[in-house]
Amino acid sequence: SDPFIYQDSIEFTPVAAIDENWSHALRFDGEPAAGMTLWRLPRKQPDKNYSRDEMRDLINRAILAEINTLLDPQREAGASIDGRPVRSGDIAILVRQASEGQVLSQLLQEQGIATVTIGRDSVFHSEEARGLYLLLSAISQYQDGAFASRSLGSSLLGLDYRQIADIVDNDASWQAWLDDLAELHQQWERQGFIAMFKSLLQRFNLAGALAQRDNSERRITNLIHLAELLQQQSSAGAGILPLLGWFSRQFDEPTTEEAELRLEGDESLVKIVTIHKAKGLQYPIVFVPFLWSCRQVDEKGAVYFHDQQLAPCFDLGSTAHRKNWVTAEKERLAEDLRLLYVALTRARSRVYLAWGQAGDASRSGYASQTALAYLLHSQQSPADLDLATADGFPTNMDFETDLQNLIDRSAASIELSPL
């Protein structure tokens, strides 16, 4: 009951599914599969969990194996949806943090499975942004040798230490580098940013250098995106130094819609999506691998919460700090429940959900404080959360029985499988 905690604000209305539409079911060798596979997380020992990092590694390997199975062209019949083989573009992996997605993207690409990342990351937080800033700073200050030498370390150039030393230590090559910077500076002053940027691309073969790197399509997309944003700012009348000042400030700014990383590929790629960004979207097959961890409110820091009149408040250390932290934790849990609902309702044909006990139960941010633990195992009511933080694994909980009851009530729409 009251699954979203603040029932007055978000009411849950029970619904029934329409008659089974078998044309959309995921099938293995022609046989329809359950709508949800619940991967039961393992434990090191009956009374000892895997650490967070160990569990992530185990889950990442399981995802790789399952995606390889779904896409295996060698299997007769194999996995199919809508009467056709499963394709990479049918698959999405939902993550909470960009770092989770980056690791998975790298692992999948090492297996020859191309991915595209969709999220709230800013292009200004990319390696390409730092690399471009080094080059533009050297062009703006072309008479300063320190700027010129630092710019040789730009990730856009792809030079190693020996190549950089060869340029700096050779009078002819060093002078050629300074001349290049000076000419680009003059073009920037005469013709504007975008004309200079095009010359920069050609003169130093930046696209060619990026094409030799891993994740090259992502890197080139980022570079072009940065150029467009800088050109927009330049068109507002900013000179060279004001434009670079604006550029440097973006490194510490939160992500805006304009600066969100763009898709670098098409519909044929496995999608790695933040749960926030997945709202309103639908994918045939969805992996939701990391809902067994969360990010609790820091009890020792400033606490942001709402009072009984719903006014937003900060507590920087009052005598009621502990009580207000409990309120903030209740709000955090409610937000996580809303994200859980989004994550588990994106799949049309099948969703893979990883769940179990992981990490040090005595530390914050692990499974017992998560939205799933509250829904499946907790004995607390929303009113209890005004007095104490979430305890999803109470001492008298029977984890295995809770899971089996869920499977039994699902009418075969959920299958339980060891990770």
Side-chain angles (χ1 to χ4, degrees):
S1 61
D2 300 343
F4 293 112
I5 296 179
Y6 295 103
Q7 186 72 359
D8 292 341
S9 301
I10 305 180
E11 183 179 357
F12 179 76
T13 303
V15 296
I18 62 170
D19 291 338
E20 190 75 39
N21 187 341
W22 290 109
S23 67
H24 292 323
L26 173 66
R27 294 171 179 264
F28 287 103
D29 301 324
E31 294 298 318
M36 174 184 282
T37 291
L38 199 159
W39 277 343
R40 171 72 164 87
L41 301 184
R43 304 185 78 183
K44 268 188 171 179
Q45 300 169 14
D47 59 345
K48 186 176 182 181
N49 301 332
Y50 284 96
S51 71
R52 188 195 299 244
D53 290 341
E54 288 172 326
M55 188 59 73
R56 287 188 195 282
D57 182 58
L58 291 172
I59 291 173
N60 287 342
R61 283 190 276 154
I63 292 173
L64 285 176
E66 188 68 14
I67 290 179
N68 276 313
T69 297
L70 291 167
L71 301 178
D72 186 359
Q74 305 301 321
R75 286 185 55 177
E76 187 176 351
S80 64
I81 295 176
D82 299 336
R84 59 163 178 79
V86 171
R87 299 188 286 252
S88 297
D90 295 324
I91 300 170
I93 306 171
L94 304 189
V95 296
R96 283 290 296 268
Q97 302 172 41
S99 58
E100 297 168 340
Q102 289 164 0
V103 172
L104 271 166
S105 177
Q106 183 67 35
L107 292 173
L108 284 164
Q109 293 193 49
E110 289 172 359
Q111 296 269 323
I113 300 170
T115 67
V116 59
T117 303
I118 309 170
R120 286 281 297 167
D121 292 344
S122 171
V123 70
F124 291 110
H125 301 160
S126 66
E127 185 179 356
E128 291 69 49
R130 297 286 179 178
L132 181 58
Y133 182 76
L134 278 177
L135 286 175
L136 296 183
S137 297
I139 293 168
S140 72
Q141 305 286 338
Y142 68 96
Q143 295 175 317
D144 190 319
F147 278 90
S149 59
R150 275 201 300 272
S151 66
L152 290 167
S154 167
S155 60
L156 301 182
L157 298 174
L159 302 176
D160 61 29
Y161 291 119
R162 185 180 297 277
Q163 291 170 312
I164 293 172
D166 287 343
I167 294 172
V168 173
D169 295 340
N170 182 287
D171 289 342
S173 58
W174 177 244
Q175 188 58 50
W177 179 249
L178 295 177
D179 290 344
D180 284 336
L181 297 177
E183 290 174 19
L184 288 167
H185 178 92
Q186 292 164 10
Q187 185 179 17
W188 194 347
E189 285 189 322
R190 292 195 314 268
Q191 300 176 353
F193 170 78
I194 202 65
M196 180 278 300
F197 177 78
K198 290 178 180 178
S199 296
L200 176 67
L201 283 178
Q202 295 171 355
R203 190 177 293 250
F204 301 139
N205 189 25
L206 298 186
L210 292 176
Q212 305 303 314
R213 306 273 305 277
D214 62 298
N215 218 1
S216 59
E217 194 174 358
R218 168 80 273 157
R219 296 178 186 278
I220 293 171
T221 299
N222 286 349
L223 181 59
I224 301 304
H225 188 184
L226 287 162
E228 291 177 10
L229 293 173
L230 284 161
Q231 172 60 15
Q232 289 174 17
Q233 186 68 17
S234 178
S235 298
I240 294 178
L241 291 179
L243 181 62
L244 284 176
W246 174 84
F247 192 3
S248 68
R249 290 193 296 275
Q250 303 314 302
F251 296 142
D252 299 318
E253 292 292 321
T255 306
T256 63
E257 187 171 344
E258 284 185 337
E260 282 183 23
L261 290 181
R262 294 174 176 172
L263 302 187
E264 73 270 27
D266 58 22
E267 291 300 305
S268 65
L269 307 180
V270 172
K271 296 161 189 64
I272 299 176
V273 194
T274 58
I275 299 175
H276 274 104
K277 198 68 177 177
K279 291 178 180 178
L281 301 178
Q282 175 178 272
Y283 310 95
I285 300 170
V286 173
F287 290 84
V288 188
F290 302 123
L291 293 183
W292 46 269
S293 67
C294 63
R295 182 175 293 177
Q296 278 193 289
V297 177
D298 182 4
E299 184 180 2
K300 297 179 181 178
V303 171
Y304 176 78
F305 67 103
H306 294 80
D307 65 17
Q308 292 183 339
Q309 286 73 44
L310 302 184
C313 303
F314 266 121
D315 189 330
L316 304 177
S318 76
T319 55
H321 188 271
R322 168 77 186 183
K323 176 179 179 295
N324 293 332
W325 172 70
V326 170
T327 300
E329 261 295 284
K330 181 178 181 179
E331 294 181 9
R332 188 275 307 169
L333 179 61
E335 169 65 9
D336 286 353
L337 285 161
R338 294 191 288 275
L339 286 173
L340 170 67
Y341 178 82
V342 169
L344 294 183
T345 54
R346 298 306 94 197
R348 190 191 68 179
S349 301
R350 169 176 270 205
V351 59
Y352 292 84
L353 172 65
W355 180 238
Q357 295 156 289
D360 185 347
S362 65
R363 291 178 58 193
S364 67
Y366 288 102
S368 63
Q369 293 99 26
T370 61
L372 261 178
Y374 176 76
L375 282 181
L376 298 182
H377 310 289
S378 174
Q379 296 161 15
Q380 293 168 300
S381 69
D384 294 331
L385 296 172
D386 291 329
L387 305 174
T389 57
D391 179 15
F393 294 157
T395 54
N396 59 346
M397 172 200 68
D398 187 330
F399 188 88
E400 304 297 339
T401 299
D402 286 349
L403 285 192
Q404 193 56 53
N405 287 339
L406 178 69
I407 303 304
D408 293 344
R409 293 197 307 272
S410 76
S413 63
I414 303 176
E415 67 174 12
L416 182 64
S417 174
L419 182 74

